[in-house]
Amino acid sequence: MRYEKPTTVEAATALLAGQGARVLAGGTDLLVQMRSRVLSPDVLVDIKGIDATRKITKDASGYTIGAAVTGAELKEHPTLSKDWPGLVEAANLIGSTQVQGRCSLGGNLCNGSPAADSVPGMIAAGAVATIAGPKGTRTLPVEDIMLAPRKLALTAGEFIVSFKIPARPAHGGDAYLRFIPRTEMDIAVVGCGVALALDAGGTCTAARVSLGAVAARPLLVEDGAKALIGTKVDDAALAKLEAAVRAACKPIDDKRGTVEFRIDVAGTLAKRTAKIALERARKV
Amino acid sequence: MQERVKKPQFDVVGTRPVRPDGVDKVTGRAKYGADLKMAGQLVGKVLRSPHAHARIKSIDVSKALALPGVKAIVTRDDFADQASEFVPAGEMLINYRDVVRNILAREKVLYEGHAIAAVAAISEKAAIAALDAIKVDYEVLPHVIDEIEAMKADAPLLQEDMITQGVTPAPTKASNVAKRVEFTLGDTAKGFAEADVIIEREFKTKAVHQGYIEPHACLASVSEDGSADLWTTTQGHWVKRAHCAKLLGWDVTKIRVTSSEIGGGFGGKTVIYLEPLALALSKKAHRPVKMVMSREEVFKSTGPTSGGTVRVKMGAKKDGRITAAEGEIILQAGAFQGSPVQPACMCAFANYDLENVKVIGFDVVSNRPKVAAYRAPGGPISTYGVESVVDELAEQLGIDPIDLRLKNAAKEGTKAAYGPKFGPVGLVECLEAAKESDHWKAPLGPNQGRGIAAGFWFNIGGETTVSLQLNEDGTLTLMAGTPDIGGLRASLCMMAAEELKVDVHKIRPIIADTSSLGYNFLTGGSRSAFSSGMATVEAARSIVKQACQRAAKLWEIPEEAVTWEDGEVRPAGENAGKHKPMTLSDIGKIAGKTGGAIVGYAAISAQGAAPSFGVHIADTEVDPGTGKVTVTRYTAIQDAGRAIHPSYVEGQFQGGAVQGIGWALNEEYIYGPDGKLQNAGFLDYRVPVASDLPMIDTIIVEVPNPRHPYGVRGIGETPIVPPMAAIGASVRRASGVRFFELPMSPPKVLKAMKAAGKA
């Protein structure tokens, strides 16, 4: 096995176009899979030598977050947690404190697990990935990147350089909740991200609802957003949200939960998540 | 923390000095099983079965042996077969015919993870390459995982010659039922006829692992003269020495076993897995061999304790007097016979003073790893069923669950269904402490409930040797042979310091190896503080006697004219002459001139172990939207006899409670239809983490054991007995639903609450 740490996007895409190459960001999934002999790549391409993957920049249009920025760095950023608390909280649920020093948004997404915590958080926030490849750079909304477990919409040589997160709306708030049988050190049985915006009168003008671990890929639930838009996010709207979310679930029975349980809990979590997002939107 | 420890009439016993092994543990210097290294050591690894059940047609190691860096391989051919012979191991029995088949499969593999071959190579990479190059030809057979399925007449047979023991006349056909046991007292038919209320329920529990954080590990070095050193993480190095010697056909004196520090055992480190393989590999390779299990190997190939089916029927009068009790307990043994069904049956109704009891148990093999002892083996399973039915009786009769238990509680003179009459025991005192506790009286919030349950464990004594040396500067060295898994060294030093009136920190304890001390049975059955404590006291008293003899010699007066008072050797009375009293330190300094070193030695078979009863109170909150159960408050109350070091007694109460909470709420072995374990890691085998739990409150009750010099009872096992029923009763009140199956995991709880219209 070869380890490479390119410093330019072009060098990285050239290496990644080769046989048996894998992207190494934080390595908190990849190295574990290598040690348990699930994966044995020929070339490890460490993207942390590329400046753009390691920094957070802010301008009027929002944030650009490098794909290899760690969970701890997201938390420590002076304004990100104020603007997108749900997204940061979701990313901070990955692993332990030690893992937070390494794990990244790019890695969490590209590991290709439907249960990744930061992904519904990013989808709710409207994150768009900037993807570099041998043919140049393109963008793709985060909800379109993962296709199925371990299967991504990236082609040979492509990797995610950064994510664009829009500026927070004037009265906007987001939240992420997950269900796990414990309180930490676990993987979501259901995850739910909600972002919404209110007008001055408190009516919901925009919303995005995303679910994790209830289908083969993280979901953007359009009907969930529709249940909220145009309402005061009252009990009636939340009941509609709950129904829409449950209808969108296509989970499996496995050791972490049954189909029935995941559908039930998704509805419960969506209501609870929306209430937190609403409170946050009202405060700003 | 509340304490009911009586004001100590002792100088040291009952205080809380810093433990002698503490600093090395918190600074990372302490050496655990995997921490020792030897020059030239090889890496040992085990090839394990991918199948739940298969006949081994052939094993070909030739390609693996030819690989670079591969120094030795052992298979079934390297171990002679053993005759069927049961020997005690902790509180369980083992059979060498089965042990030799468990360490390396012979005719068949009987569970996924069953060891087939072991290799020793110069690196981990070379060892893994060797495992990949071993060719095993299997004939895959149908498997059976569930114990009820395994009992059926058409179930796949694990051992084709297994005839159920304990049934007359003996069955003519082989089955997966190894043994039937029965305990009866009085006439249950008569008792049920007198009852006003009868409750009959069936409970299911899942196999759970001991979950020790330190995986099994050992290092073996066999010399060219056939003598061997074995360094291993174990609860009993003499016992492991015996097992290894038996399987290898060596004299025990050839094997010196040193027990490392131990990162948790809970019964699971009373069993040999790697040790005979490492010794055999080292002998073949002429190099030391180190073996360390992965967590996946620990889950798939060691431990767990049984899952099972428990049927309980109890009847009571309107006033709460229990008139009859029956139980049927079916336990998984794993691939080889020997579940803890006997202690499960014996424990089942031990909390109560009953006239009419009948308990039947079945030991059933299936395609799972062979069960190992786990903290009060069997007790938590049967007690979960019985205490849950007692809670339901209280509910139906409208009697407070503590009052119902007080009305029926076992006490001094109670004849237990399994035979003996209890001496002084503390169940009534524990129930009264529960009733008076702040916890029992505290208000509850919405979706919260409170449950209570009692538990019992026998505790044992047994063969124990301790050596106590008075050093030339007056300090002391204490050698014990029961590995310290819960603060033992601290407790032993405290008992010695109490006897000798010396500063506890002047005594340095070690756990000696098998060649340095006489035989010690293992740390199990909550015996170590009791038995090694008793031996320590005897050794200390021998030191006192020798000190008096030395003073007599020095002062040239008869031995009877010397007394031991307030930590000093003194002339007894005026007639003995005017001699300056001497402390032990003074005596130590003159030992060389008065006859040589002073060593107190006690080799005993400790008798008089006394049972310990406990009562746990659990508060839970149930989320009606997700079915998640959160423990909000928990109190463990238990009779310690005498708490030598209260912090470690509390630690045992807390640890047992936490393991029981895990068993109640989330822990379970999950098998797929292919007979393979799906959650062989701490991610999906969910032990509680610190943030899942409130601080576990403790109340130490002390009803001294009259058979121990300081009144000690074993306390390590009882704390895991009550939690499941206490949590069950609490969830019943918090959710409105009564559960009959463990674990009470969120999917099950939510489904049941929905069905009952409570979600």
Side-chain angles (χ1 to χ4, degrees), chain A residues 70-88:
Chain A
T70 69
E73 287 163 344
L74 294 175
K75 190 179 180 178
E76 286 159 8
H77 189 273
T79 58
L80 187 63
S81 291
K82 288 177 195 140
D83 289 343
W84 293 105
L87 170 61
V88 176

Short mmCIF file of all heavy atoms in Angstrom, two decimals, chain A residues 70-88:
data_model
loop_
_atom_site.label_atom_id
_atom_site.label_comp_id
_atom_site.label_asym_id
_atom_site.label_seq_id
_atom_site.Cartn_x
_atom_site.Cartn_y
_atom_site.Cartn_z
N THR A 70 -12.34 19.27 10.69
CA THR A 70 -12.78 18.30 11.71
C THR A 70 -14.01 18.79 12.46
O THR A 70 -14.32 19.99 12.48
CB THR A 70 -11.66 18.04 12.73
OG1 THR A 70 -11.49 19.24 13.51
CG2 THR A 70 -10.35 17.66 12.07
N GLY A 71 -14.67 17.84 13.13
CA GLY A 71 -15.83 18.16 13.95
C GLY A 71 -15.48 19.19 15.01
O GLY A 71 -16.25 20.11 15.29
N ALA A 72 -14.31 19.04 15.61
CA ALA A 72 -13.90 19.97 16.67
C ALA A 72 -13.71 21.38 16.10
O ALA A 72 -14.07 22.37 16.74
CB ALA A 72 -12.61 19.48 17.32
N GLU A 73 -13.15 21.45 14.89
CA GLU A 73 -12.94 22.77 14.26
C GLU A 73 -14.27 23.44 13.90
O GLU A 73 -14.41 24.66 14.01
CB GLU A 73 -12.06 22.62 13.01
CG GLU A 73 -10.60 22.34 13.36
CD GLU A 73 -9.77 21.80 12.21
OE1 GLU A 73 -10.34 21.34 11.19
OE2 GLU A 73 -8.53 21.82 12.33
N LEU A 74 -15.25 22.65 13.50
CA LEU A 74 -16.59 23.22 13.22
C LEU A 74 -17.15 23.86 14.48
O LEU A 74 -17.69 24.96 14.46
CB LEU A 74 -17.55 22.12 12.74
CG LEU A 74 -17.24 21.46 11.40
CD1 LEU A 74 -18.22 20.32 11.14
CD2 LEU A 74 -17.32 22.46 10.25
N LYS A 75 -16.98 23.14 15.59
CA LYS A 75 -17.51 23.61 16.87
C LYS A 75 -16.79 24.88 17.33
O LYS A 75 -17.40 25.78 17.91
CB LYS A 75 -17.35 22.50 17.92
CG LYS A 75 -18.06 22.77 19.22
CD LYS A 75 -17.84 21.59 20.16
CE LYS A 75 -18.55 21.82 21.49
NZ LYS A 75 -18.36 20.66 22.37
N GLU A 76 -15.48 24.92 17.07
CA GLU A 76 -14.68 26.05 17.55
C GLU A 76 -14.82 27.30 16.68
O GLU A 76 -14.38 28.40 17.09
CB GLU A 76 -13.21 25.64 17.62
CG GLU A 76 -12.92 24.72 18.79
CD GLU A 76 -11.65 23.91 18.59
OE1 GLU A 76 -10.91 24.17 17.63
OE2 GLU A 76 -11.42 22.99 19.40
N HIS A 77 -15.41 27.19 15.51
CA HIS A 77 -15.53 28.35 14.62
C HIS A 77 -16.37 29.44 15.29
O HIS A 77 -17.40 29.14 15.91
CB HIS A 77 -16.16 27.93 13.29
CG HIS A 77 -16.11 29.01 12.25
ND1 HIS A 77 -17.09 29.98 12.16
CD2 HIS A 77 -15.19 29.31 11.30
CE1 HIS A 77 -16.77 30.81 11.17
NE2 HIS A 77 -15.62 30.43 10.64
N PRO A 78 -15.95 30.69 15.20
CA PRO A 78 -16.61 31.74 15.97
C PRO A 78 -18.09 31.98 15.63
O PRO A 78 -18.85 32.40 16.51
CB PRO A 78 -15.78 33.00 15.68
CG PRO A 78 -14.94 32.66 14.49
CD PRO A 78 -14.75 31.18 14.50
N THR A 79 -18.51 31.75 14.40
CA THR A 79 -19.92 32.08 14.07
C THR A 79 -20.73 30.90 13.54
O THR A 79 -21.96 30.97 13.53
CB THR A 79 -19.97 33.21 13.00
OG1 THR A 79 -19.26 32.75 11.84
CG2 THR A 79 -19.35 34.49 13.52
N LEU A 80 -20.08 29.84 13.10
CA LEU A 80 -20.81 28.75 12.45
C LEU A 80 -21.89 28.16 13.37
O LEU A 80 -23.03 27.91 12.94
CB LEU A 80 -19.83 27.66 12.00
CG LEU A 80 -20.43 26.53 11.16
CD1 LEU A 80 -20.99 27.04 9.84
CD2 LEU A 80 -19.41 25.43 10.91
N SER A 81 -21.55 27.95 14.64
CA SER A 81 -22.52 27.35 15.57
C SER A 81 -23.69 28.29 15.84
O SER A 81 -24.76 27.83 16.22
CB SER A 81 -21.84 27.02 16.90
OG SER A 81 -20.95 25.96 16.71
N LYS A 82 -23.46 29.58 15.68
CA LYS A 82 -24.58 30.52 15.89
C LYS A 82 -25.50 30.48 14.68
O LYS A 82 -26.72 30.57 14.81
CB LYS A 82 -24.04 31.94 16.09
CG LYS A 82 -23.38 32.11 17.45
CD LYS A 82 -22.80 33.50 17.60
CE LYS A 82 -21.83 33.55 18.78
NZ LYS A 82 -20.64 34.34 18.51
N ASP A 83 -24.91 30.37 13.49
CA ASP A 83 -25.73 30.40 12.28
C ASP A 83 -26.37 29.04 11.97
O ASP A 83 -27.52 28.98 11.55
CB ASP A 83 -24.87 30.84 11.08
CG ASP A 83 -24.51 32.32 11.16
OD1 ASP A 83 -25.18 33.04 11.92
OD2 ASP A 83 -23.56 32.74 10.47
N TRP A 84 -25.64 28.00 12.11
CA TRP A 84 -26.12 26.65 11.77
C TRP A 84 -25.88 25.67 12.93
O TRP A 84 -25.13 24.71 12.79
CB TRP A 84 -25.45 26.15 10.48
CG TRP A 84 -25.84 26.95 9.26
CD1 TRP A 84 -25.10 27.88 8.61
CD2 TRP A 84 -27.10 26.89 8.58
NE1 TRP A 84 -25.81 28.43 7.55
CE2 TRP A 84 -27.04 27.82 7.50
CE3 TRP A 84 -28.28 26.14 8.76
CZ2 TRP A 84 -28.11 28.03 6.62
CZ3 TRP A 84 -29.32 26.35 7.88
CH2 TRP A 84 -29.24 27.28 6.82
N PRO A 85 -26.53 25.93 14.07
CA PRO A 85 -26.28 25.07 15.24
C PRO A 85 -26.64 23.60 14.98
O PRO A 85 -25.95 22.70 15.48
CB PRO A 85 -27.17 25.68 16.33
CG PRO A 85 -28.19 26.51 15.61
CD PRO A 85 -27.53 26.99 14.36
N GLY A 86 -27.70 23.37 14.22
CA GLY A 86 -28.12 21.99 13.96
C GLY A 86 -27.06 21.22 13.20
O GLY A 86 -26.76 20.07 13.52
N LEU A 87 -26.48 21.87 12.20
CA LEU A 87 -25.44 21.23 11.40
C LEU A 87 -24.22 20.89 12.26
O LEU A 87 -23.68 19.79 12.19
CB LEU A 87 -25.04 22.16 10.24
CG LEU A 87 -23.80 21.75 9.45
CD1 LEU A 87 -23.99 20.38 8.80
CD2 LEU A 87 -23.46 22.79 8.40
N VAL A 88 -23.81 21.85 13.09
CA VAL A 88 -22.63 21.62 13.93
C VAL A 88 -22.93 20.53 14.97
O VAL A 88 -22.10 19.64 15.20
CB VAL A 88 -22.16 22.93 14.60
CG1 VAL A 88 -21.00 22.66 15.55
CG2 VAL A 88 -21.76 23.95 13.54
#
